[in-house]
Amino acid sequence: MIQINQLVKKYSSRQGTIIAIDNVSLNILQGAIYGIIGLSGAGKSTLVRCLNLLEKPTSGQVVVAGQDLTKLSNRELRQARQNIGMIFQHFYLLQSRTVAENIAFPLEIAGVPKKEISIRVKELLHLVGLEDKSSAYPAQLSGGQKQRVGIARALATKPQVLLCDEATSALDPQTTLSILNLLRDINQKLGLTIVMITHEMKVVKEICTDVAVIHEARIVENGPVESVFIKPQSDIARQFISTVFPNELPADLLKELSTHRDSEIVRIQFLGSRASDPIITDLLRTCDVRANILYGSIDHLRSTLFGTLTLELLGNPAQLKEAHRYLASRELKVEVIQHAL
Amino acid sequence: MPFDSSLLFQVTFWADLLRLIIPATGETLYMVAASTVFAYLLGLPLGIILVVTSPGHIMPNPWVERTLGTLVNILRSAPFIILLVALIPFTKSVVGTSIGTTAAIVPLVISAAPFVARVVESSLKEVPYGVIEAALSMGASPKQIIQKVLLPEAKASLILGVAITTISVIGYTAMAGTVGGGGLGDLAIQYGYSRFRTDIMIVTVVILVVIVQIIQSLGTALARKLTH
Ligand SMILES: Nc1ncnc2c1ncn2[C@@H]1O[C@H](COP(=O)(O)OP(=O)(O)OP(=O)(O)O)[C@@H](O)[C@H]1O
Ligand SMILES: [Mg+2]
């Protein structure tokens, strides 16, 4: 649905040139909820703003629904933008219009007849659950309600793509979840392709199907959420993952454990149905090792289970080797954190 | 029955005063209203152009912005009394005469229009750029952004600007009056100052204060009503 090819965006000023996007290529499939995560200043907003040409790329291509946006005339670009909705961290609603009038705005822009507008606005109010607020003004709404209006407004012209720039960053955790659920529903109901810019791994964990990690203007890794969570390639990705699945053992504990003979520390990660298997019991029954559970967590990665278990395995080298063989046979990802002495 | 001369004096005094004050007030209101309307006809588009052509806005154009900005600054820095005289030939060619209330409107408009442009510019700049970008992201054209975003979103602030402009035009009409423009300013100078009619001076000032108060209150009330 969206192809980004060798995108470069530079900002020139008297102080010099800043490269905000450095040769980024991405392919975002129809129906994906594609997360783009990075630290502040990494270039996330610049990247997403290049996707509807609010920011004009210095070079490279942005192809949305088969159209290279960088090649369009102003008029064609305006037309193309009606197929790309966008929501913002600070909502940017029109203060002088009611909720219903805000939602009607993009339809007026598109020249939709009045009668159709009022029907469509009703549908959208229903979709985002704000039927009772239709004649309220934005100043009378909570942050979560404002973002719902933002979403309804962005979807008014039935776009195929929805861009979200930190759409939940101004909201509390509870409201964030309700907005994310709404976005997931819309993604499923309408088959909409969503691009989610965020600095919170929690958002990615909650709803994204794919993720790209952007660091200092470059994409350092990307792929389906499960594979990035299981096998992160970069330190920055590992750091982001540890914010939602903390798995660092306290240093003093590691030090104490390092004096144990015939013991190693392993981290086992499991996904989906594996998460509900009785792994430990099977491990102990099959192999002649003992296990000491140091840390465990289980949580959802979107709708699949994702678990981490940190164990101290006790046994002689042959027994430990046997344990590894067993774990590998169960298709579990095993990482040795501390080897046996 | 003794004749009450003081009563007669009072009646003639007030009749005399009203005979002078009423038409002068009418002239002032006419000058103020007409000047403000024409000043907005020129100044509003000018203010809009100054905003949309500024760097990073919807139609950045440094050349247009700088040229218009300089023109506005020059007109604004010319003292009104000089403009009044300098524009006499121009006024003559526009309204056929350089004396009288209608003639006074020409220099009033020329001096108020650049002021209006700046007042409008500052109101429109209060609209957060994010709101404009949101409209751009929906495919709005520059014309739609001006009509459906900039002006409606800045409505309350624009109304306050109209009140400010009208009030400052009232001040200038008093000056225009001194060169034969008529109105309350003219009256105050001719009778109050030149003929030592302190009473007329006081009455004109009171009327001007009342007009200013009414306009400001109307502006504030309307702006509040438009703020959601
Ligand atoms: N209009 C601009 N002019 C000059 N430099 C800019 C501009 N916009 C962004 N930058 C620079 O580009 C880089 C990337 O900025 P960007 O806003 O994309 O970061 P971000 O990842 O969205 O950060 P945040 O999480 O803080 O929003 C930064 O170094 C920023 O200073
Ligand atoms: Mg940003």
Side-chain angles (χ1 to χ4, degrees):
Chain A
M1 178 56 63
I2 304 173
Q3 283 97 35
I4 306 167
N5 296 325
Q6 298 176 335
L7 186 70
V8 176
K9 175 68 193 181
K10 294 180 189 169
Y11 291 110
S12 303
S13 67
R14 253 157 277 149
Q15 289 84 8
T17 302
I18 297 169
I19 302 181
I21 296 293
D22 189 3
N23 198 20
V24 164
S25 298
L26 282 177
N27 185 13
I28 299 174
L29 296 179
Q30 145 100 53
I33 303 184
Y34 204 103
I36 297 177
I37 189 165
L39 299 172
S40 186
K44 307 180 293 289
S45 296
T46 308
L47 178 58
V48 77
R49 291 159 54 83
C50 282
L51 296 186
N52 59 3
L53 248 61
L54 278 182
E55 216 68 73
K56 204 173 164 4
T58 308
S59 67
Q61 278 185 312
V62 178
V63 182
V64 178
Q67 245 181 338
D68 183 354
L69 300 186
T70 60
K71 299 232 161 35
L72 301 181
S73 68
N74 285 342
R75 177 187 292 270
E76 290 167 330
L77 177 61
R78 290 201 287 270
Q79 201 72 38
R81 278 176 175 164
Q82 291 175 10
N83 190 32
I84 310 171
M86 189 167 191
I87 58 174
F88 306 85
Q89 178 176 4
H90 300 296
F91 324 118
Y92 296 137
L93 303 177
L94 295 157
Q95 300 295 318
S96 61
R97 287 178 171 235
T98 63
V99 166
E101 288 163 354
N102 263 284
I103 299 173
F105 181 74
L107 298 165
E108 289 173 24
I109 296 288
V112 175
K114 272 218 166 66
K115 249 207 193 116
E116 280 174 48
I117 290 183
S118 81
I119 296 170
R120 181 81 185 122
V121 167
K122 281 212 184 73
E123 286 170 16
L124 288 155
L125 283 168
H126 177 72
L127 180 72
V128 298
L130 283 178
E131 290 105 324
D132 54 331
K133 294 285 179 197
S134 83
S135 49
Y137 284 93
Q140 303 162 326
L141 301 179
S142 70
Q145 291 168 332
K146 284 184 201 167
Q147 197 58 289
R148 283 171 188 272
V149 179
I151 291 170
R153 181 177 73 170
L155 296 177
T157 51
K158 304 191 175 171
Q160 289 177 282
V161 173
L162 178 65
L163 308 176
C164 314
D165 189 1
E166 305 271 10
T168 58
S169 297
L171 306 174
D172 64 63
Q174 203 70 36
T175 314
T176 295
L177 276 185
S178 80
I179 293 291
L180 292 178
N181 284 332
L182 174 63
L183 289 173
R184 183 179 16 216
D185 284 352
I186 291 165
N187 164 259
Q188 278 160 9
K189 244 188 260 174
L190 310 177
L192 190 75
T193 307
I194 301 182
V195 180
M196 294 278 295
I197 296 295
T198 183
H199 63 271
E200 293 174 305
M201 203 55 165
K202 194 171 164 310
V203 170
V204 175
K205 181 199 111 181
E206 224 42 72
I207 66 165
C208 290
T209 56
D210 300 84
V211 63
V213 181
I214 182 168
H215 189 56
E216 292 175 352
R218 290 165 179 270
I219 300 288
V220 290
E221 73 178 276
N222 64 304
V225 164
E226 290 82 0
S227 60
V228 172
F229 269 74
I230 290 273
K231 274 203 179 83
Q233 306 295 319
S234 59
D235 283 341
I236 186 85
R238 268 188 284 276
Q239 278 170 34
F240 275 122
I241 292 166
S242 72
T243 61
V244 281
F245 296 116
N247 52 21
E248 288 291 310
L249 292 176
D252 51 345
L253 176 65
L254 272 177
K255 201 165 164 205
E256 194 193 318
L257 293 173
S258 70
T259 60
H260 289 189
R261 284 196 61 80
D262 289 338
S263 116
E264 66 174 12
I265 302 173
V266 295
R267 177 159 52 223
I268 305 168
Q269 286 180 319
F270 36 88
L271 198 64
S273 62
R274 292 267 166 255
S276 48
D277 291 352
I279 301 160
I280 304 281
T281 322
D282 290 354
L283 173 69
L284 300 186
R285 268 195 201 139
T286 320
C287 320
D288 196 12
V289 288
R290 287 174 301 143
N292 174 17
I293 299 176
L294 300 174
Y295 177 86
S297 79
I298 186 148
D299 203 341
H300 278 100
L301 194 54
R302 279 203 307 147
S303 47
T304 45
L305 286 164
F306 179 71
T308 304
L309 194 58
T310 307
L311 299 175
E312 182 190 23
L313 293 179
L314 297 141
N316 63 37
Q319 289 167 330
L320 291 179
K321 212 167 174 187
E322 176 63 24
H324 278 281
R325 207 164 10 233
Y326 169 75
L327 291 171
S329 75
R330 301 295 301 261
E331 288 169 6
L332 296 166
K333 188 200 166 201
V334 181
E335 219 180 325
V336 179
I337 296 173
Q338 197 165 278
H339 288 277
L341 282 178
Chain B
M1 201 164 78
F3 187 72
D4 190 343
S5 65
S6 83
L7 181 68
L8 179 66
F9 172 75
Q10 279 197 8
V11 169
T12 48
F13 168 78
W14 283 108
D16 183 34
L17 202 60
L18 286 178
R19 192 175 46 80
L20 291 169
I21 292 285
I22 289 174
T25 307
E27 281 163 14
T28 291
L29 290 179
Y30 163 64
M31 273 192 286
V32 170
S35 309
T36 306
V37 167
F38 284 110
Y40 265 87
L41 286 179
L42 289 175
L44 182 67
L46 208 55
I48 293 172
I49 295 171
L50 283 173
V51 171
V52 298
T53 55
S54 64
H57 217 278
I58 51 174
M59 302 169 85
N61 189 328
W63 191 86
V64 169
E65 194 220 4
R66 230 170 291 145
T67 310
L68 288 182
T70 309
L71 180 72
V72 163
N73 289 345
I74 290 172
L75 285 175
R76 287 200 63 198
S77 54
F80 180 64
I81 207 81
I82 298 203
L83 216 54
L84 208 55
V85 178
L87 283 173
I88 286 176
F90 177 68
T91 307
K92 257 196 184 132
S93 72
V94 175
V95 290
T97 169
S98 62
I99 337 170
T101 314
T102 304
I105 291 171
V106 176
L108 281 171
V109 169
I110 299 298
S111 108
F115 178 80
V116 169
R118 289 299 184 200
V119 170
V120 167
E121 180 189 23
S122 90
S123 292
L124 298 185
K125 286 210 160 150
E126 285 167 24
V127 179
Y129 196 67
V131 175
I132 295 163
E133 285 202 321
L136 282 175
S137 79
M138 296 168 210
S141 65
K143 186 169 155 241
Q144 287 171 322
I145 287 181
I146 292 166
Q147 287 177 342
K148 288 177 175 281
V149 181
L150 278 178
L151 294 175
E153 287 292 288
K155 213 163 29 186
S157 169
L158 287 169
I159 295 285
L160 286 176
V162 172
I164 293 170
T165 306
T166 312
I167 288 165
S168 89
V169 168
I170 291 175
Y172 285 118
T173 56
M175 261 195 269
T178 62
V179 294
L184 290 167
D186 197 13
L187 190 67
I189 295 283
Q190 277 189 36
Y191 286 78
Y193 181 73
S194 308
R195 301 186 200 168
F196 304 106
R197 284 286 299 268
T198 315
D199 51 343
I200 289 191
M201 183 77 104
I202 291 172
V203 174
T204 44
V205 170
V206 168
I207 291 176
L208 287 173
V209 168
V210 169
I211 294 176
V212 167
Q213 284 292 343
I214 290 174
I215 289 170
Q216 187 61 58
S217 314
L218 274 179
T220 311
L222 202 54
R224 184 165 312 138
K225 209 176 143 236
L226 292 172
T227 307
H228 299 291

